[in-house]
Amino acid sequence: MADDSIAVVDLERCSPDRCSYECKNYCPPNRTGKECITLRGEDADDGQPDQVHISEEICLGETCGICVEKCPFDAIEIINLPQELQEEPAHRYGENAFSLYGLPVPLEGQVTGILGPNGIGKTTAVKILAGELAPNLGEYADPPSWEEVLDTYRGTELQEYLETVKDGDVNVARKPQYVDKIPDQFSGPTSKLLENTDERGVMDDLLERLEIEHVVDQDIDSLSGGELQRVALVACLARDADFYFIDEITPYLDISQRVTAARLVQEMAEEHGKSMLVVEHDLAILDLVADNLHVAYGEPGAYGVVTSPKSVRNGINEYLKGYLDNENMRIRPSAIEFEEHAPRQVTRADTLVEYPDITKSYGAGEFALDVEGGKIRENEVLGIVGPNGIGKSTFAKLLAGKLEPDSGDLDFELDIAYKPQYIEIDQPMRTDSFLHSITDQVGSSYWNTEIAQPLQLERIMEQNLTDLSGGERQRVAIAACLSKSADLYLLDEPSAYLDVEQRVRATRAIRRFAEQQDATVLVIDHDIYMIDLLADRLMVFDGEPAVAGHASQPKGMRDGMNDFLSNLDITFRRDENVGRPRINKPGSQLDRQQKKEGEYYYAP
């Protein structure tokens, strides 16, 4: 194989006991007597299934690709690495396994951001920076010594940091990505989880600023996703470490909470001189929190490349354009475009359903919601926005028949497809079987083109639901909702755990579905740009979180955005190059000007 190619075998998908070894039997070098594709453990009597092994020295590379086409489980990839990629990998897990090229550079007193798709190697990078994994420079069979590693990085920004890693002098604090898994690993009161983390004596201040003092005495399994996210952030930031890794701070948080979390991370760097590494897919928050940015690209699950640091604005814009200027590298065939548009004109479509004034209380002294009666129109996408704990999901459950209102008749004769906020999957069932149980359209031309392809389901159709990551579960849940035959489609926070490209794909899939199927869709989300692209009208919730919520009647996008963002005292501007929404610095000239004009989002 050429030096710029690698072979990757997904051992979770590869099932030699269920196929006829098509890859091995059709391989051209094998047919000439060479051992290019062989089976690991073929002669072992250990009861373990054999595993396919591809010799990268003999393989003809991507120009052949016969094994890729013949594999019935889509388990093989032959990938030509970019010609511009001259360096050796920082780490490779083995032949036919994932490779990581480049490492992020933690800097004292700065927040370093990483922007890239899921599955691109950020966990590997953090393990190396934390001293949990010694980089093997691609020499997995005969790993180099630490002295050889340091020689390789001598003269680079990483040299000094890696020397401290080698000496075991780095303490690391982590905030995990999937906070909804915390209750699976810990049970009992939240205070017990936090009691050993307050190494800096700042616990009370963090709890107050993130407004979660009330959860300390609650059991961890009773917390919402937003509360779990903030508890995890408190547990991380309260530690006294040299290096902090924050893996996604925005899922389940509303905009105000996201900004507060971003400011806490910034303060750790600016006021305490800490090295902060943040992975984030909300571009507005990443733009706000980071001092510099590494772009990560590659083939998820196969190889990843981490660039040298860039300025935050240039790094985000280059990533969106799909072309990295300094590296002279195209990382995507086309740009991710942010449509800069005025709010859509409100149409006067027929009414699908008219709902009355609604009230719902969870008991004396508990949260109470009141909803002004309104109309949901046929063939519209209605966006639902508001802070956490204000009743948005309660309203969704009321419409879906999951809760009974205290007042207001919701006895609609409507079929409602509902994707809940928290996706609980406990059935050991394959993805394709699960989707087939919902609709017989799976595999049809329309379903493949408009649902499966945009949501990138092809490679996970044969995986068990219980083995899927948070982002994969989210995409399956969106597909399951859109695959049902219904009068009303209700999606609660479809952006959670999706990376930037996946969010754009999901947004377009939902919007196209609504337009092509003449469907009525309600979307609850905290990603403002996703709501902007999707919605025809907005329903704004306000009030006092966890105490009392109020929902206004649906209104036009401009009025809705202004009402919503004025409640939060946040304004947005547009990047002059790519049009992406950016949060204005509070008190800046633009912030003051837009507030004076009453234009919090659609500024001229």
Side-chain angles (χ1 to χ4, degrees):
M1 185 183 290
D3 291 338
D4 58 355
S5 297
I6 58 172
V8 180
V9 179
D10 187 336
L11 296 181
E12 291 186 359
R13 299 177 64 86
C14 180
S15 304
D17 56 330
R18 295 168 51 208
C19 72
S20 301
Y21 305 119
E22 288 90 342
C23 60
K24 177 181 176 182
N25 295 332
Y26 284 94
C27 172
N30 276 36
R31 300 183 76 168
T32 63
K34 298 178 181 178
E35 292 190 341
C36 178
I37 300 182
T38 56
L39 296 178
R40 292 173 173 154
E42 190 171 12
D43 299 322
D45 187 19
D46 56 6
Q48 298 297 316
D50 302 333
Q51 295 179 340
V52 165
H53 168 265
I54 301 176
S55 169
E56 294 183 343
E57 288 74 23
I58 300 174
C59 179
L60 301 178
E62 199 176 44
T63 54
C64 170
I66 290 177
C67 59
V68 176
E69 295 297 325
K70 293 294 183 181
C71 176
F73 306 109
D74 196 23
I76 299 174
E77 290 186 89
I78 307 295
I79 298 170
N80 283 343
L81 296 174
Q83 293 182 356
E84 297 86 345
L85 187 61
Q86 303 294 332
E87 61 188 290
E88 295 298 321
H91 192 80
R92 192 173 189 189
Y93 284 96
E95 192 165 19
N96 308 154
F98 181 85
S99 301
L100 176 65
Y101 295 80
L103 289 170
V105 184
L107 298 174
E108 285 188 15
Q110 292 198 27
V111 180
T112 299
I114 301 181
L115 173 60
N118 291 325
I120 211 72
K122 59 181 182 286
T123 300
T124 298
V126 170
K127 285 183 177 180
I128 291 173
L129 297 176
E132 298 172 5
L133 181 68
N136 62 24
L137 308 181
E139 301 296 331
Y140 49 85
D142 185 18
S145 65
W146 261 111
E147 285 69 24
E148 292 173 290
V149 171
L150 293 176
D151 282 341
T152 299
Y153 288 97
R154 199 166 304 282
T156 69
E157 292 178 289
L158 268 171
Q159 177 187 346
E160 183 177 347
Y161 183 86
L162 288 177
E163 285 175 348
T164 63
V165 172
K166 168 185 174 291
D167 295 334
D169 294 335
V170 175
N171 294 321
V172 179
R174 277 200 192 91
K175 193 221 60 87
Q177 180 182 21
Y178 299 121
V179 297
D180 46 4
K181 292 184 178 180
I182 293 176
D184 297 333
Q185 303 162 356
F186 177 88
S187 61
T190 304
S191 57
K192 185 178 179 182
L193 176 68
L194 294 174
E195 64 185 7
N196 295 321
T197 65
D198 193 16
E199 297 168 355
R200 299 194 302 117
V202 294
M203 179 68 68
D204 291 342
D205 179 58
L206 291 173
L207 291 170
E208 180 182 356
R209 292 183 62 182
L210 287 168
E211 299 179 330
I212 49 170
E213 307 101 312
H214 62 283
V215 308
V216 171
D217 296 325
Q218 297 180 24
D219 281 350
I220 202 77
D221 61 2
S222 71
L223 303 189
S224 69
E227 290 167 340
L228 283 171
Q229 187 70 264
R230 286 174 284 167
V231 166
L233 186 61
V234 167
C236 177
L237 297 183
R239 292 193 178 279
D240 187 11
D242 306 300
F243 168 47
Y244 294 78
F245 175 59
I246 314 294
D247 197 348
E248 295 193 41
I249 56 177
T250 61
Y252 305 129
L253 297 189
D254 62 43
I255 293 180
S256 180
Q257 293 164 347
R258 293 178 185 200
V259 171
T260 299
R263 287 173 180 160
L264 286 172
V265 171
Q266 283 178 312
E267 289 173 12
M268 289 292 291
E270 294 172 0
E271 299 179 11
H272 303 284
K274 301 295 186 180
S275 298
M276 314 296 291
L277 185 65
V278 176
V279 175
E280 184 51 61
H281 300 304
D282 184 320
L283 297 183
I285 295 300
L286 184 62
D287 189 18
L288 186 68
V289 72
D291 297 303
N292 59 80
L293 181 72
H294 295 269
V295 174
Y297 66 94
E299 292 284 342
Y303 79 96
V305 183
V306 178
T307 69
S308 298
K310 302 172 179 287
S311 73
V312 178
R313 180 172 179 268
N314 287 343
I316 292 176
N317 288 353
E318 288 178 18
Y319 178 79
L320 294 174
K321 287 188 296 184
Y323 179 77
L324 306 179
D325 293 337
N326 291 344
E327 291 78 7
N328 188 29
M329 178 78 68
R330 177 152 295 284
I331 62 173
R332 195 184 311 105
S334 58
I336 295 175
E337 296 181 351
F338 282 74
E339 301 174 23
E340 187 174 353
H341 60 81
R344 293 183 179 89
Q345 295 296 315
V346 176
T347 61
R348 299 296 176 187
D350 292 338
T351 298
L352 173 70
V353 63
E354 183 171 359
Y355 56 87
D357 292 348
I358 305 167
T359 62
K360 174 63 181 178
S361 173
Y362 286 90
E366 300 292 327
F367 176 78
L369 171 68
D370 76 90
V371 180
E372 294 181 24
K375 298 177 181 179
I376 300 172
R377 296 174 178 155
E378 292 181 352
N379 312 332
E380 78 167 337
V381 178
L382 178 62
I384 299 178
V385 295
N388 272 331
I390 210 71
K392 302 185 303 299
S393 293
T394 295
F395 177 67
K397 291 175 183 177
L398 287 167
L399 287 183
K402 305 293 183 181
L403 289 175
E404 289 293 328
D406 297 334
S407 68
D409 183 6
L410 294 180
D411 188 18
F412 306 136
E413 293 184 2
L414 292 178
D415 289 326
I416 298 177
Y418 174 50
K419 186 206 83 67
Q421 181 180 21
Y422 307 120
I423 302 164
E424 297 180 2
I425 297 177
D426 54 10
Q427 44 190 329
M429 188 178 188
R430 282 189 7 167
T431 300
D432 53 0
S433 299
F434 169 68
L435 292 172
H436 272 296
S437 70
I438 293 170
T439 177
D440 58 5
Q441 294 299 307
V442 174
S444 69
S445 176
Y446 171 82
W447 194 88
N448 285 337
T449 302
E450 301 299 335
I451 294 179
Q453 290 179 14
L455 295 174
Q456 298 174 302
L457 300 181
E458 298 91 334
R459 290 191 60 82
I460 61 175
M461 290 293 277
E462 294 185 355
Q463 291 182 239
N464 284 329
L465 295 173
T466 51
D467 295 332
L468 300 182
S469 69
E472 290 168 341
R473 291 185 180 197
Q474 187 70 261
R475 281 144 47 202
V476 171
I478 294 170
C481 181
L482 299 184
S483 296
K484 295 175 182 176
S485 178
D487 302 305
L488 179 64
Y489 296 84
L490 209 167
L491 296 102
D492 196 346
E493 202 156 346
S495 73
Y497 297 129
L498 300 187
D499 63 38
V500 174
E501 294 183 53
Q502 290 166 349
R503 289 182 189 198
V504 172
R505 284 172 168 269
T507 299
R508 289 175 178 165
I510 295 168
R511 183 74 208 180
R512 282 174 61 88
F513 176 84
E515 292 172 350
Q516 293 183 1
Q517 301 297 310
D518 292 330
T520 301
V521 182
L522 271 62
V523 177
I524 302 170
D525 212 282
H526 296 301
D527 187 312
I528 289 299
Y529 185 68
M530 187 178 202
I531 288 290
D532 180 32
L533 280 187
L534 276 172
D536 299 298
R537 294 191 299 159
L538 271 189
M539 187 173 179
V540 179
F541 282 64
D542 58 16
E544 186 177 352
V547 177
H550 170 265
S552 63
Q553 293 184 359
K555 58 186 66 177
M557 290 296 292
R558 172 170 264 115
D559 290 341
M561 280 290 200
N562 285 336
D563 285 354
F564 172 50
L565 293 176
S566 64
N567 291 336
L568 301 177
D569 200 32
I570 294 172
T571 61
F572 281 76
R573 70 188 185 280
R574 296 281 181 167
D575 184 271
E576 59 188 22
N577 289 337
V578 298
R580 63 182 170 88
R582 305 179 69 187
I583 297 174
N584 288 323
K585 185 177 180 180
S588 66
Q589 182 179 350
L590 269 178
D591 183 59
R592 295 196 307 271
Q593 178 182 339
Q594 287 180 221
K595 287 175 180 175
K596 182 179 179 181
E597 295 172 351
E599 291 288 0
Y600 285 72
Y601 188 81
Y602 297 107

